[in-house]
Amino acid sequence: MQKIQNYINGELVDPVEGEYIDNYEPATGQIYSQIPESKACDLELAVSAAETAQKDWAEMPAEERSNLLIRLADAIDAAGDELAKAEAIDNGKPITFAKHVDAYRSAANIRFFANAATQFASESHSMGSVGVNYTLRDPIGIVGCISPWNLPLYLFTWKIAPALATGNCVIAKPSEITPMTAYLFSKLCIQVGIPKGVLNILHGTGPSIGGPMVEHPKIKAISFTGGSATGKHIASVAAPLLKKTSLELGGKNPTLVFADCDFDTTVSEVARAAFSNQGQICLCGSRIYIERPIYDKFKTALVEKIEKLRIGDPLDDKTQHGALVSKPHMEKVLSYIELAQQEGGSVLCGGNQVEIEGRCKDGYFVAPTIIEGLPLNCRTNQEEIFGPVCTLQPFDTEEEVIKLANGTEYGLATSVWSNDIKRCHRLSKELDFGIVWLNTWLLRDLRTPFGGVKSSGMGREGGHEAMRFFTEPKNVCVKY
Ligand code: NAD
């Protein structure tokens, strides 16, 4: 059985204490590899390697750092098919999605921030004839990056890239549920010659290695993406240590459909927004509000579309809906479908576990599920399910739908579907979210600020926001 290794000081190594945990293939329910359960002793090795590497990496001219990272992006592109297959096996997502979204974006993330390294500049403040201030932006030093399982290499690289581009040394931890592509990525780092100790990848669970990373006094900042409960816990540990944190957390995103939308396109895009990656994207629109005059027509068209999705083996090119990431997660999603019915909801399609014949017969498949008849203030509409489950609700006025949309503890992303441009802008101002999409969903420009408000997080990633997060400003004041 394949054993994943940590990547410390430029080498692949076994965990010091030799402990491993099992890694499951969600489509088959079988254990197919083992992951180091890293501990504080592994972290010490990584921190010491990062400390040794820090000065040279920080002082390397930006262009040289950039060139190295571009080579890494090229290597990801070249290994795209292998990475996509590994992601599909490890996560359960359809291989076509893994190719076009996960593998593609992982390379794009690295390339984007490699270029940003050569474009990043700082400010100066003139005091007229008295003097001038200029702001140096130095790397923080050693930083920690912790990522989740839903878009494994995509979100892992999204954090690592700006941290490295700005001259930090990084200790990174992928999710223990989907470690494989981070392992393959560490091999690519060796292949392209990322200097020893600049990036260190430790595998293992949150309590075993994530916690020690957050607490370590030499790790000066933590960039975290994951659940809101974990994020709040990390914030409570990091705050008394005065450690900088960027927290990208959960969502319960509303989709607002008006009667004047482009009907067919909106049905397709709302379906994509709800069920891409089996509904396991923090940005998925899981509460769909439809203006009453088109409610019945929209509902019928949406259900018809969703019932046609091909559920199957993630490794089959034609599969559109794969497995959920783990057995506990599948059980959680099924329990929410049960709860939705207890709360008075009617299941319009799906609602059940699906058995696939052949090698996937023991996999964690759940049919895409649409539910109607639930009010805003029930658990189904308030809590993040993070699976292929969405609810439908009609509305009559803009004021009403704004209240519905804003009526949860989350504020990550929303989308509005309407041809009334004034209305779109009016609503964008009122909607309490970090990201508002108008007549589109998941259209991404990596320069834009990315993140949420309320329980969806603190801070922003992307473009200059990320470059600023990973640097420490130092003002230099000169008197003429
Ligand atoms: P999670 O919070 O369980 O785990 C995320 C990561 O944190 C994992 O690597 C885990 O091992 C680690 N971790 C767990 N406990 C820790 C601790 N005490 N200290 C340090 N690290 C710890 O989340 P998940 O189940 O992997 O991911 C799903 C969640 O992520 C959902 O809530 C989803 O909305 C959210 N998410 C948010 C975004 C965003 O950009 N806002 C993107 C993707 C996913």
Side-chain angles (χ1 to χ4, degrees):
M1 179 156 321
Q2 186 176 12
K3 271 192 172 157
I4 285 173
Q5 289 178 295
N6 287 331
Y7 170 56
I8 301 177
N9 202 24
E11 285 171 14
L12 296 173
V13 294
D14 296 331
V16 173
E17 291 188 4
E19 265 185 49
Y20 289 85
I21 48 177
D22 294 331
N23 187 24
Y24 288 79
E25 178 177 1
T28 63
Q30 305 302 312
I31 297 167
Y32 84 103
S33 64
Q34 292 204 306
I35 314 156
E37 178 67 312
S38 306
K39 303 270 171 63
C41 45
D42 301 288
L43 179 59
E44 283 312 325
L45 295 177
V47 168
S48 150
E51 261 186 312
T52 309
Q54 178 56 47
K55 192 166 183 295
D56 285 351
W57 183 245
E59 289 180 359
M60 182 183 278
E63 198 179 345
E64 234 177 277
R65 239 181 1 243
S66 170
N67 284 340
L68 262 173
L69 292 175
I70 285 172
R71 279 192 3 225
L72 186 55
D74 292 344
I76 295 177
D77 276 337
D81 286 348
E82 185 198 357
L83 290 168
K85 188 173 177 196
E87 209 73 287
I89 293 171
D90 213 24
N91 174 281
K93 66 179 67 202
I95 190 156
T96 319
F97 186 93
K99 226 177 259 179
H100 295 119
V101 179
D102 295 73
Y104 165 78
R105 249 301 285 280
S106 302
N109 288 338
I110 303 274
R111 191 169 287 115
F112 175 85
F113 284 108
N115 289 322
T118 61
Q119 306 293 323
F120 192 45
S122 190
E123 55 286 14
S124 73
H125 300 88
S126 166
M127 297 171 78
S129 60
V130 180
V132 67
N133 297 270
Y134 61 90
T135 310
L136 295 174
R137 286 206 160 260
D138 295 326
I140 297 173
I142 304 175
V143 299
C145 297
I146 301 176
S147 54
W149 50 256
N150 63 320
L151 296 163
L153 190 61
Y154 171 138
L155 291 173
F156 193 65
T157 49
W158 179 234
K159 300 185 167 304
I160 289 170
L164 292 177
T166 43
N168 298 281
C169 285
V170 178
I171 316 250
K173 186 194 105 55
S175 169
E176 66 278 18
I177 300 169
T178 51
M180 189 56 84
T181 46
Y183 174 56
L184 298 177
F185 176 74
S186 55
K187 293 185 177 182
L188 297 179
C189 292
I190 296 172
Q191 181 189 311
V192 303
I194 299 295
K196 286 179 179 210
V198 162
L199 172 64
N200 303 275
I201 300 176
L202 299 175
H203 294 272
T205 57
S208 172
I209 188 65
M213 280 173 64
V214 177
E215 287 163 18
H216 201 290
K218 289 185 176 165
I219 297 183
K220 299 293 182 197
I222 294 286
S223 173
F224 169 81
T225 299
S228 294
T230 318
K232 286 175 188 175
H233 171 72
I234 288 176
S236 76
V237 176
L241 300 171
L242 301 181
K243 197 170 282 202
K244 209 171 178 185
T245 52
S246 164
L247 304 170
E248 299 298 334
L249 311 178
K252 187 74 181 174
N253 311 304
T255 303
L256 283 55
V257 180
F258 285 85
D260 64 358
C261 67
D262 290 330
F263 189 85
D264 292 340
T265 312
T266 306
V267 170
S268 297
E269 290 295 281
V270 168
R272 190 171 72 86
F275 295 109
S276 284
N277 207 36
Q278 296 70 248
Q280 303 167 128
I281 301 182
C282 55
L283 307 160
C284 277
S286 59
R287 295 183 289 137
I288 304 172
Y289 299 112
I290 305 159
E291 204 173 9
R292 199 175 301 274
I294 60 161
Y295 183 82
D296 287 331
K297 186 178 166 204
F298 196 91
K299 171 175 94 176
T300 306
L302 188 66
V303 168
E304 208 172 281
K305 182 147 211 98
I306 294 311
E307 282 180 332
K308 285 195 194 129
L309 283 179
R310 285 178 70 124
I311 309 175
D313 189 338
L315 295 181
D316 181 342
D317 276 345
K318 294 188 198 71
T319 292
Q320 295 168 306
H321 186 90
L324 297 195
V325 76
S326 68
K327 190 160 189 251
H329 189 57
M330 174 183 73
E331 284 164 357
K332 175 190 145 183
V333 170
L334 290 170
S335 78
Y336 269 105
I337 296 172
E338 183 72 39
L339 172 73
Q341 292 168 92
Q342 286 162 16
E343 289 180 323
S346 314
V347 173
L348 302 175
C349 64
N352 55 296
Q353 188 179 349
V354 178
E355 202 172 300
I356 309 285
E357 277 180 20
R359 81 170 198 109
C360 294
K361 69 179 172 30
D362 296 320
Y364 314 136
F365 295 86
V366 172
T369 301
I370 303 180
I371 298 166
E372 70 170 351
L374 288 171
L376 172 66
N377 59 355
C378 65
R379 283 184 55 204
T380 309
N381 272 332
Q382 289 291 324
E383 297 175 14
E384 186 185 42
I385 300 173
F386 210 53
V389 181
C390 69
T391 60
L392 308 185
Q393 196 176 331
F395 69 89
D396 293 296
T397 65
E398 268 182 35
E399 294 68 32
E400 180 192 3
V401 79
I402 290 168
K403 273 199 188 127
L404 289 168
N406 289 343
T408 75
E409 67 167 295
Y410 296 103
L412 186 54
T414 181
S415 66
V416 179
W417 302 84
S418 165
N419 272 316
D420 180 340
I421 189 72
K422 281 191 179 170
R423 174 183 13 235
C424 287
H425 291 299
R426 203 163 49 233
L427 283 171
S428 302
K429 188 165 175 337
E430 298 303 321
L431 290 165
D432 211 359
F433 295 84
I435 300 159
V436 179
W437 275 297
L438 301 178
N439 296 307
T440 184
W441 178 76
L442 204 54
L443 179 60
R444 292 280 290 116
D445 179 329
L446 303 189
R447 293 170 300 179
T448 60
F450 179 92
V453 299
K454 305 197 292 193
S455 286
S456 291
M458 216 165 68
R460 294 291 183 276
E461 298 186 321
H464 284 297
E465 302 280 345
M467 301 295 276
R468 283 170 175 263
F469 174 77
F470 284 114
T471 51
E472 198 67 76
K474 181 196 286 175
N475 190 65
V476 180
C477 179
V478 186
K479 188 169 183 300
Y480 291 138

